[in-house]
Amino acid sequence: MQQYAMLISPSANRVYARTAARMAANEIRVFSARALDGRVVDVEEAAFGGVPYLTFRSDSLSARDLRLLANLSSLYALFAVRGAMLEPIAVERLDRYDDDLITILKYVGKTNEQFTKLLLNVTAAVALDPDRLLSGDVTVLDPMCGRGTTLNQAAMYGWDAFGVEVDKRDFEAYSAFVQRWLKDKRLKHHAVQSRVKREGRGVGQRTRVEFAATKERHRAGDLQVVEIVNADTLRSGEVFRKGAFDLIVTDAPYGVQHAAVKDTRALTRKPTEVLEAAVPVWADLLRRGGALGLSWNLYTTARTDLVAILEDAGLEVMDAAPFLDFEHRVDQAINRDLVVARKPK
Ligand SMILES: C[S@@+](CC[C@H](N)C(=O)[O-])C[C@H]1O[C@@H](n2cnc3c(N)ncnc32)[C@H](O)[C@@H]1O
């Protein structure tokens, strides 16, 4: 069996970096179990020349397998281990745009970018077969999208990204950002502002932007969409049609008053109550076989309670290894975990 060694990205966030290796190891295990028929084994932390790596073994990784693994959220560089030497493997990421799409915006309450990518990845691995995952033909909703970290990561992959956010300032900041960024990059795009209405009553403001990574794609009509709606997530069912999304991915409000988190302002209910009310709405918006990936603060909601909410909404929760070891500390008030649940086919 060939052994591979993965160099982990030097994380911008020191707190997240402490748990990055364990999180990355479990992300590889999810990819292996869900997208690579269990062909990646012996995932371990190791050191080469005093530098920490993750190693794993596999019999036969095809070009497609490597294209999948290239998108692991913490992958910096990949090597084949040859005795005491490391042979670089060229990785071909899905990334369609410059990475400042994801890194430029800095604000209080931003979800860590690497973690956002991990959550999107493990949710995608549950819902999509590998060819679909690599195809670009994927539709994602972040129903509590803040200033769009999930939307940007989905757009980076070439996927269509939709968001709902109750906070008007976040909505406006993201709407402005995405248009300015496309303009700065001289990427052809078309933006439309409108009001979403149902039965004559306003639901919220909407910004929809259509764009393409290259002039050729634009000319061919191969457009991507980013759309954000300023509304309460409980009204998402009035904005989008049932079964519209392959993936729903969100970092739920933490329910704490804290310098680094601004979400209490927008909250009228406790996080568990919001999730109780919102999960059935979101489940309706998932297509059959689609998956919901949620991260939340364990200090406000117990895992068992969230699993019950997801099951009550008719979703199948991934409630076994490697999905049970993603818990990590964000700060003294936030101990974050993630859960992935699938809508039965
Ligand atoms: C943890 S933050 C997500 C941050 C986001 N991932 C980002 O990086 O910008 C949770 C978000 O949920 C939003 N939120 C809270 N309650 C909501 C509701 N009922 N409907 C829609 N959004 C809500 C908050 O305003 C906040 O932006």
Side-chain angles (χ1 to χ4, degrees):
M1 254 199 227
Q2 175 62 51
Q3 188 178 32
Y4 296 86
M6 168 180 146
L7 188 56
I8 295 174
S9 295
S11 174
N13 176 327
R14 282 196 303 123
V15 177
Y16 188 67
R18 258 181 247 145
T19 45
R22 175 174 54 88
M23 306 278 287
N26 286 314
E27 187 185 7
I28 295 176
R29 292 183 184 112
V30 169
F31 269 47
S32 177
R34 303 293 313 190
L36 298 169
D37 311 313
R39 283 179 288 115
V40 172
V41 297
D42 300 340
V43 184
E44 280 164 6
E45 291 179 45
F48 293 93
V51 177
Y53 286 75
L54 272 182
T55 58
F56 54 89
R57 291 177 196 277
S58 185
D59 251 342
S60 49
L61 287 179
S62 66
R64 187 192 72 173
D65 298 341
L66 288 170
R67 278 185 67 214
L68 265 180
L69 292 171
N71 299 295
L72 288 165
S73 60
S74 300
L75 186 142
Y76 194 48
L78 186 64
F79 302 88
V81 181
R82 311 262 185 236
M85 310 292 275
L86 297 181
E87 181 188 315
I89 298 176
V91 290
E92 189 194 329
R93 293 182 168 85
L94 281 172
D95 299 7
R96 282 200 188 173
Y97 302 97
D98 294 345
D99 65 2
D100 61 359
L101 171 60
I102 289 161
T103 55
I104 273 185
L105 271 186
K106 302 261 185 276
Y107 50 94
V108 170
K110 181 173 185 176
T111 309
N112 175 288
E113 298 138 13
Q114 254 172 299
F115 176 73
T116 300
K117 185 169 179 181
L118 183 148
L119 181 60
L120 185 64
N121 278 348
V122 295
T123 310
V126 166
L128 307 170
D129 68 50
D131 290 327
R132 182 80 191 286
L133 209 154
L134 294 169
S135 74
D137 177 22
V138 178
T139 308
V140 183
L141 170 69
D142 182 341
M144 293 174 145
C145 68
R147 299 190 183 191
T149 313
T150 312
L151 309 188
N152 289 338
Q153 182 55 56
M156 187 67 151
Y157 278 167
W159 299 351
D160 289 337
F162 296 78
V164 177
E165 170 57 50
V166 77
D167 188 314
K168 195 165 195 290
R169 271 174 288 186
D170 286 346
F171 165 78
E172 285 172 352
Y174 184 68
S175 299
F177 165 74
V178 74
Q179 293 173 72
R180 193 174 54 242
W181 188 87
L182 287 162
K183 206 168 157 206
D184 287 349
K185 297 286 167 183
R186 297 172 176 278
L187 292 169
K188 258 197 156 177
H189 60 282
H190 178 64
V192 180
Q193 320 279 345
S194 60
R195 258 198 97 65
V196 181
K197 281 192 182 164
R198 278 299 162 266
E199 286 150 18
R201 289 179 45 213
V203 179
Q205 281 294 123
R206 164 164 51 200
T207 302
R208 179 184 171 91
V209 188
E210 295 183 347
F211 56 100
T214 62
K215 284 196 179 111
E216 293 68 35
R217 278 186 195 270
H218 199 274
R219 215 171 295 129
D222 181 8
L223 301 181
Q224 273 180 253
V225 174
V226 166
E227 184 176 306
I228 180 169
V229 176
N230 181 206
D232 190 309
T233 197
L234 299 182
R235 303 195 69 183
S236 303
E238 298 172 64
V239 179
F240 305 106
R241 62 178 171 73
K242 282 186 192 284
F245 298 103
D246 298 301
L247 312 175
I248 298 182
V249 172
T250 204
D251 182 29
Y254 304 124
V256 290
Q257 190 82 52
H258 186 267
V261 180
K262 61 99 229 180
D263 61 9
T264 39
R265 196 166 17 86
L267 268 181
T268 50
R269 285 162 294 235
K270 293 206 168 92
T272 314
E273 289 166 17
V274 176
L275 290 171
E276 247 168 7
V279 165
V281 176
W282 299 341
D284 262 357
L285 295 177
L286 267 184
R287 70 153 166 81
R288 299 199 166 277
L292 168 63
L294 255 180
S295 58
W296 83 101
N297 185 2
L298 278 166
Y299 291 141
T300 64
T301 311
R303 187 177 182 94
T304 45
D305 292 343
L306 186 52
V307 167
I309 291 171
L310 292 162
E311 287 178 346
D312 285 349
L315 302 174
E316 295 166 354
V317 178
M318 304 293 120
D319 218 6
F323 288 92
L324 297 180
D325 192 17
F326 285 108
E327 181 181 332
H328 60 285
R329 184 180 187 276
V330 177
D331 63 31
Q332 86 267 13
I334 304 167
N335 197 26
R336 190 165 53 191
D337 201 355
L338 70 80
V339 65
V340 182
R342 202 169 86 113
K343 186 158 167 174
K345 280 205 169 156

